[in-house]
Amino acid sequence: MRPGKRKYVLIVTTVLCVTLLFGCSGKSKPVDTGNPGKGEEQQSPKTTITVTFRDDGIGENGTLYKWIKELSASYPDKNVEIKPAPIQASEGDYFAKVALALKSKDTAPDIVTEDTFILNSDASAGYLEPLDDKLKDWEDWSNGSFIEAMKKGVTASDGKVYGVPYNTDSRGLWYNKEIFKQAGLPEDWQPKTWEDVLNAARTIKNKQPDIVPIWMNMGKATGEATSMQTYEMLLYGTGERLYDNEGGKWIVKSQGILDALTFIETVNKEKLGPPLSKVLNGQAGNTATREYLPKGKLAISLDGSWITGNYFEGGAAPWPEYKDVLGFAPMPTSQGQEPGSITLAGGWALSIPSHAKHKEEAWNFIKYALNKENSQKLITASGNITVRTDVAKDPEYTKMPFNETATEYLQNAEFRPAQEKYPEVSTQIQTMVESVATGTSPADAMNKYAQDVTRIVGADHVAEK
């Protein structure tokens, strides 16, 4: 036999031997499908869903952190793990850091908490996934469980929904009734004009010089809190607005702007507020809420309905007496003109980034997290106002101090412009307010604001009044 032929026979023989080894009876070897056999437990790899939110410095003691961990433990799908992925930042920095994270598949979380003011901008940038197709099959969304007005806050300018809201809020004047009583001011304080507010602060300063009369956010470092809780509460109280919806233009010069800035100037010139070193840093809001108010060092704070969440057991600054010591007065309009008081309403939502790795699992978790039971747990722990009609009727919710009052203020609520450029305009508001707080005249600050906003939105989209 030739060597080549001998090699060929050897190969064929080897193949036949292998075939015989595994059997030639027509029965193939069973394929392992991953199904457990008798006495075996199926082990499926877990899918990890990351939830990004703002950590304002209290870490694992934060309300959202604890809520997410609790939901992860109770989540029915044991093949899914829910992982908190907080971003530690001031309110002003959080949105910039989130925007960076949302740009890439490598850094985008599966779920992100979106302040409703930034949602339209993030949606327009392509960072968020529209949820309309998913929402139409979710009974809670269509059966009236969510307050209809709150759905507007998560609807972008393209008409699509980009998040499910989980809270809303109102704003007003928190005041210490004990300090007021000692100063000879009414414990049931109901200021009718801005001058009433300033006069109360002046009385505190004269009679109790060791106490800060009034605290408002005034710095760029406190970001949207400066824009919304201070400037817009004042501007809207003059009867004017940031954006003319009919004309489609941003109002950059007006008497209302000057009046709002003059109020801020008065607080600082008369030294009715805290030292600028306290109010111009990123922790200013926390300092007022968690330190000055509970310790009786602050008389009046222009802030939001949610601050009482700090005072609950397990909160950032437990203060059981808050419900008896604090009052919550409506912020009056400038001259007491109709409607008499003003509040700005906002809120937060859970959204799915367009670069999320596990969108279906993220959506299933959002439905679970924001059902009636779990929504109520978050609301009662945080001190916010609910966006669900069924939670609003629950006795556990209605018995919470100040909830009824905070909800009443929503009757005169105004909302930030649902415009893509709003976040950029808001940054200029913060710069303008801080400049007045540090000594710039209201007129000069307004002129600079007008220049900066015109540069951002274009000369065809601004107006003067």
Side-chain angles (χ1 to χ4, degrees), residues 152-164:
K152 295 179 182 178
V154 290
T155 304
S157 53
D158 63 2
K160 296 179 181 179
V161 176
Y162 287 88
V164 179

Side-chain angles (χ1 to χ4, degrees), residues 217-386:
N217 290 292
M218 296 185 189
K220 292 183 287 187
T222 42
E224 190 61 17
T226 295
S227 298
M228 192 176 185
Q229 272 125 254
T230 297
Y231 178 74
E232 288 164 37
M233 285 286 286
L234 292 168
L235 178 69
Y236 284 42
T238 69
E240 293 189 9
R241 301 293 179 267
L242 278 174
Y243 185 82
D244 178 4
N245 285 313
E246 292 184 5
K249 295 186 178 183
W250 296 91
I251 301 169
V252 293
K253 290 186 179 182
S254 72
Q255 187 59 48
I257 295 175
L258 287 175
D259 290 347
L261 296 177
T262 299
F263 185 96
I264 295 165
E265 180 186 49
T266 301
V267 168
N268 287 284
K269 274 191 172 181
E270 297 188 20
K271 298 189 184 305
L272 300 175
L276 289 181
S277 60
K278 294 287 186 182
V279 83
L280 296 185
N281 69 72
Q283 292 300 313
N286 289 339
T287 302
T289 300
R290 299 173 184 173
E291 180 184 343
Y292 275 62
L293 270 179
K295 292 182 178 180
K297 297 161 62 177
L298 173 61
I300 305 166
S301 181
L302 177 56
D303 215 324
S305 55
W306 63 86
I307 72 165
T308 56
N310 291 285
Y311 309 136
F312 298 165
E313 183 180 351
W319 183 24
E321 299 82 10
Y322 82 93
K323 57 184 177 296
D324 301 315
V325 175
L326 291 181
F328 192 34
M331 179 65 182
T333 52
S334 58
Q335 303 296 327
Q337 69 269 39
E338 291 295 328
S341 66
I342 193 72
T343 196
L344 267 287
W348 289 77
L350 295 183
S351 298
I352 300 177
S354 54
H355 287 315
K357 297 179 180 67
H358 309 292
K359 294 178 183 177
E360 199 60 38
E361 291 88 346
W363 171 244
N364 288 334
F365 176 71
I366 287 176
K367 289 190 293 182
Y368 176 74
L370 300 186
N371 64 23
K372 178 182 182 293
E373 179 185 358
N374 291 323
S375 290
Q376 183 171 318
K377 288 179 181 177
L378 177 59
I379 287 295
T380 53
S382 64
N384 286 111
I385 302 173
T386 185

